Amino acid sequence: MKYLLTPLPYSYDSLEPYIDVKTMEIHHTKHHQAYINNLNNVLEKYPQIAGIKLEDLMENLDKQPFDEKDKTIFRNNGGGHLNHSFFWTIMSPGKEFDENLVSDAKREFGSINEFKKLFTAAAMGRFGSGWAWLVLDKNKKLKVYSTANQDSPYLTGDIPVIGLDVWEHAYYLKYQNRRNEYIENWWNVLKLV
Ligand code: MN
């Protein structure tokens, strides 16, 4: 079984002007596709784990049959596939507020504004490439943090609720070095909050 790139639930230009059409197209068809190709290549060597969900492989990474090199390849590219597949679905040209999430976030962080401040600080504070996350941990508690590279929250058993790609490939064409402006504008295309 090979993983395949699925089409976005909206057109490449529909997140304009906040995320430009060229970035969306390259990000989806080149970057995400590359993670999928590398993931398929590494999994091909381990038929004994075929059929196990990526989330489960990630959460129990040390118990898998990968050698050290392949473990890193899986962590990066399995993470890349999971993270991007998730990222596409939480964005939308129109808001579809999740009332439960909004009230849970208010309860946990005091207000949506406070949550956005924390999340933005996590995204800005990630040196180099990575992601900012709002996750649900094993005790069903909402937490904000960032991960390096393509590390998935499933590595630590957390379930992603909101994730923001802060690799330069996600924003450089339009925003160059202005990660702060990208983050600020991104709230407009996050459909949940
Ligand atoms: Mn990306």
Side-chain angles (χ1 to χ4, degrees):
M1 181 202 71
K2 281 190 182 295
Y3 288 96
L4 297 169
L5 186 68
T6 52
L8 297 184
Y10 40 77
S11 60
Y12 290 123
D13 65 356
S14 57
L15 304 183
E16 290 267 11
Y18 307 111
I19 304 183
D20 61 286
V21 59
K22 189 88 183 154
T23 295
M24 285 302 293
E25 193 171 357
I26 295 172
H27 200 173
H28 184 248
T29 64
K30 306 293 186 205
H31 292 277
H32 189 173
Q33 182 69 64
Y35 298 123
I36 292 174
N37 295 344
N38 294 332
L39 171 65
N40 285 330
N41 288 340
V42 75
L43 287 178
E44 214 171 74
K45 297 162 70 176
Y46 301 90
Q48 65 272 45
I49 55 170
I52 302 178
K53 280 172 63 184
L54 288 182
E55 292 89 336
D56 296 335
L57 293 176
M58 212 49 93
E59 190 173 345
N60 301 290
L61 187 57
D62 290 333
K63 296 180 194 145
Q64 306 311 324
F66 301 121
D67 65 29
E68 278 309 305
K69 186 164 161 273
D70 286 342
K71 186 160 107 175
T72 303
I73 293 173
F74 175 80
R75 180 176 178 143
N76 290 338
N77 293 281
H81 180 44
L82 278 171
N83 294 344
H84 286 84
S85 299
F86 177 72
F87 187 51
W88 309 133
T89 66
I90 60 169
M91 297 190 290
S92 164
K95 288 281 184 187
E96 298 167 27
F97 291 105
D98 180 333
E99 293 303 335
N100 288 333
L101 174 59
V102 168
S103 64
D104 289 351
K106 278 182 184 164
R107 193 175 317 122
E108 188 61 41
F109 304 109
S111 68
I112 290 301
N113 245 358
E114 276 308 306
F115 157 65
K116 285 185 175 180
K117 268 195 220 166
L118 267 178
F119 190 92
T120 299
M124 284 304 293
R126 171 49 53 193
F127 183 75
S129 298
W131 289 73
W133 298 102
L134 173 70
V135 302
L136 207 51
D137 75 7
K138 282 184 170 153
N139 303 315
K140 304 279 177 229
K141 187 177 157 67
L142 287 173
K143 287 199 309 201
V144 170
Y145 58 73
S146 77
T147 59
N149 307 312
Q150 291 296 347
D151 280 358
S152 157
Y154 289 107
L155 283 168
T156 46
D158 297 332
I159 299 167
V161 179
I162 290 174
L164 174 60
D165 189 344
V166 293
W167 282 56
E168 283 188 343
H169 70 223
Y171 64 87
Y172 200 84
L173 288 181
K174 183 178 171 75
Y175 296 99
Q176 292 86 48
N177 61 321
R178 303 184 307 280
R179 186 190 283 188
N180 58 334
E181 211 180 295
Y182 159 65
I183 297 167
E184 205 178 305
N185 279 339
W186 177 76
W187 295 109
N188 292 295
V189 293
L190 172 69
K191 69 180 179 187
L192 306 168
V193 169

